[in-house]
Amino acid sequence: MADTLTRLSPLHGWATRFAALPESTAISEEPFVAMVDLWVDPSGPGGAAAAGVVGTALPTVPSTCAEGSDTTVIWFGPDEWLVTSTARAGEELEAALRDVVGEHRGAAVDVSAQRTTVRLRGAHARDVLAKGCSLDLHPSAFGPGSAAQTILGLAAVVLIPLDDTGTDYRILVRSSFAGYLADWLLDAAEEFGIDW
């Protein structure tokens, strides 16, 4: 009988601890999100071709993101983006992007295993983040369409607000820091009614 490997996310053992949180500070992992680093000139034919693959124009304003039909495209630099998808596999997304940008001096690399995705929701989500993030998190300054590379606690993250009320955030964290961030979030949420 052949050995098989079971795919485990960086936070696969945390569900019970997350479930102890009240709805006002709900935490969950969104495992196995496809992530592809994309480099291309956004104003050239490669940028237009990449936009066709991801379903939206590549954002060119710092600290922003754009939603495609099944992707989120996060601005990382003047010619760099992180493309995420829950509907496509990383290899598939990488191949599709590489096919269209390769001839235009662009590149696409599957980095799906590099990070995991944490979702923080609830009436106190912004309060929890404010304990360890120096960004102005008020929805008037950091609302939908924003995305920032920042520090949360002591972990480098990509933070994306998903609503205009400050109650729903997606946090992308390096897999090696996922346990630290989960512990930090649980500790930061404790004052809002965790019942151990």
Side-chain angles (χ1 to χ4, degrees):
M1 184 162 148
D3 290 335
T4 58
L5 297 175
T6 302
R7 186 177 177 192
L8 296 176
S9 71
L11 295 175
H12 70 275
W14 291 79
T16 302
R17 291 185 68 193
F18 291 160
L21 291 165
E23 287 184 22
S24 65
T25 54
I27 300 171
S28 60
E29 183 186 21
E30 297 178 339
F32 311 123
V33 174
M35 298 185 195
V36 174
D37 275 338
L38 171 67
W39 296 270
V40 68
D41 177 358
S43 60
V53 171
V54 299
T56 185
L58 303 177
T60 56
V61 175
S63 300
T64 62
C65 64
E67 297 290 330
S69 57
D70 63 354
T71 62
T72 300
V73 183
I74 304 162
W75 184 92
F76 264 21
D79 294 334
E80 182 183 1
W81 297 265
L82 180 66
V83 181
T84 69
S85 178
T86 57
R88 299 191 220 181
E91 301 88 1
E92 171 194 343
L93 186 56
E94 173 194 34
L97 286 166
R98 191 179 328 119
D99 284 348
V100 299
V101 303
E103 63 188 55
H104 304 290
R105 295 189 302 180
V109 178
D110 180 7
V111 294
S112 301
Q114 196 177 65
R115 294 179 181 89
T116 193
T117 304
V118 177
R119 190 81 173 263
L120 175 63
R121 297 180 207 157
H124 291 292
R126 185 163 51 114
D127 299 323
V128 169
L129 293 174
K131 290 182 175 191
C133 181
S134 63
L135 294 177
D136 179 354
L137 298 170
H138 192 276
S140 65
F142 192 66
S146 299
Q149 295 181 76
T150 189
I151 300 295
L152 181 56
L154 296 174
V157 300
V158 178
L159 184 60
I160 305 167
L162 300 176
D163 68 8
D164 59 3
T165 61
T167 61
D168 193 1
Y169 296 89
R170 184 168 282 130
I171 307 164
L172 282 59
V173 62
R174 299 266 181 189
S175 296
S176 57
F177 280 87
Y180 162 80
L181 184 67
D183 267 335
W184 187 90
L185 288 168
L186 288 168
D187 184 62
E190 189 168 8
E191 75 172 275
F192 302 110
I194 295 178
D195 184 20
W196 293 110

